[in-house]
Amino acid sequence: MQIVFLGPPGAGKGTQSARLIKYLSIPHLSTGEMLRKAISEGQEIGEYVRGFLEHGQLVPDPVILQLVGERLEQPDCSAGCLFDGFPRTLKQAQALDEFLQERGTPLHVVLELKVDPEALVARLLGRGRPDDQPEIVLKRFRSYEEQTRPVADYYERLGLLRSIDAMGTPDEVFARIQKAVDEAAQQAAKNSTQVRSNRS
Ligand code: AMP
């Protein structure tokens, strides 16, 4: 399955994506991780993107699209993958559509973890990281909302967006994710049966 996973900082996306890739046996395509790896390995592209990451700014689309395009060429992605931290802009969302269309592997579902900002602050304060101060947490949350809202709206218009209530225990949240993913898989199976019977 091809899945896009969206969610603000502190919503539990890291924990849930780890469980989801295990459940579906698909690779995890995290652009943040790919960028951090390029930096730590001293790759040329890493030198270029370092400043963007340090300032919490988005890396320019062409760099991200090159990285994702190359990753999708690798054989382990042929059965699908979980896109995490990507797409972050409308341009990236449209480019992903094109990548997947060329490969004939459409996106099955876009999951968006939903938390209320106050609960998010309380949750992050519990972690005690230096960038988890309430004002900074709210700033990160708002910047996610501003940057990612158009991407979520885009998928909503395509009928692909599923909002997941991310409040509750990790098990409760994962059960909701599983349900959304299972329903999307059933829908995809139904659609392909219809296409086959329309052809015959
Ligand atoms: P993340 O681990 O997803 O929170 O990403 C960490 C940082 O990497 C972000 O603050 C951005 O600077 C950069 N980044 C990750 N993914 C993207 C993306 N899809 N587009 C632009 N910048 C990205």
Side-chain angles (χ1 to χ4, degrees):
M1 284 182 92
Q2 310 281 358
I3 301 181
V4 166
F5 205 10
L6 307 173
K13 195 155 58 75
T15 311
Q16 298 298 339
S17 56
R19 293 177 75 158
L20 190 52
I21 54 170
K22 229 163 149 188
Y23 176 61
L24 294 172
S25 303
I26 51 174
H28 187 199
L29 195 157
S30 157
T31 42
E33 263 171 35
M34 290 160 79
L35 294 167
R36 283 187 290 274
K37 184 162 172 263
I39 294 172
S40 71
E41 288 179 353
Q43 294 174 25
E44 203 176 316
I45 205 169
E47 285 311 307
Y48 175 70
V49 301
R50 185 190 294 274
F52 292 98
L53 271 83
E54 280 171 0
H55 295 101
Q57 288 166 346
L58 289 186
V59 170
D61 289 332
V63 177
I64 298 291
L65 296 179
Q66 188 189 333
L67 277 178
V68 172
E70 284 170 6
R71 180 68 186 88
L72 283 175
E73 301 276 297
Q74 288 167 25
D76 63 325
C77 283
S78 62
C81 70
L82 181 69
F83 297 95
D84 182 357
F86 172 87
R88 287 262 229 294
T89 64
L90 264 186
K91 187 133 204 234
Q92 291 179 15
Q94 285 156 354
L96 178 62
D97 277 354
E98 282 166 25
F99 279 144
L100 295 179
Q101 228 160 44
E102 272 167 27
R103 297 154 50 92
T105 54
L107 211 50
H108 289 90
V109 66
V110 176
L111 304 172
E112 187 186 24
L113 291 181
K114 286 280 196 189
V115 284
D116 84 80
E118 280 170 28
L120 184 77
V121 170
R123 187 185 278 189
L124 285 176
L125 282 178
R127 297 205 308 210
R129 274 180 14 191
D131 59 347
D132 285 348
Q133 301 300 318
E135 319 81 73
I136 301 176
V137 168
L138 280 175
K139 207 172 136 206
R140 285 161 60 203
F141 184 78
R142 288 203 196 98
S143 94
Y144 167 83
E145 279 289 306
E146 277 160 26
Q147 286 165 359
T148 314
R149 191 54 31 212
V151 175
D153 290 347
Y154 172 77
Y155 287 126
E156 173 99 68
R157 282 196 297 277
L158 294 177
L160 287 171
L161 189 71
R162 290 287 306 260
S163 288
I164 307 285
D165 174 6
M167 305 311 296
T169 65
D171 283 348
E172 285 164 351
V173 177
F174 189 65
R176 294 175 198 135
I177 291 176
Q178 253 177 329
K179 183 165 177 274
V181 164
D182 290 348
E183 283 170 8
Q186 277 163 14
Q187 189 59 46
K190 218 158 129 192
N191 292 348
S192 75
T193 314
Q194 263 167 11
V195 170
R196 274 202 302 274
S197 65
N198 288 348
R199 278 197 196 129
S200 57

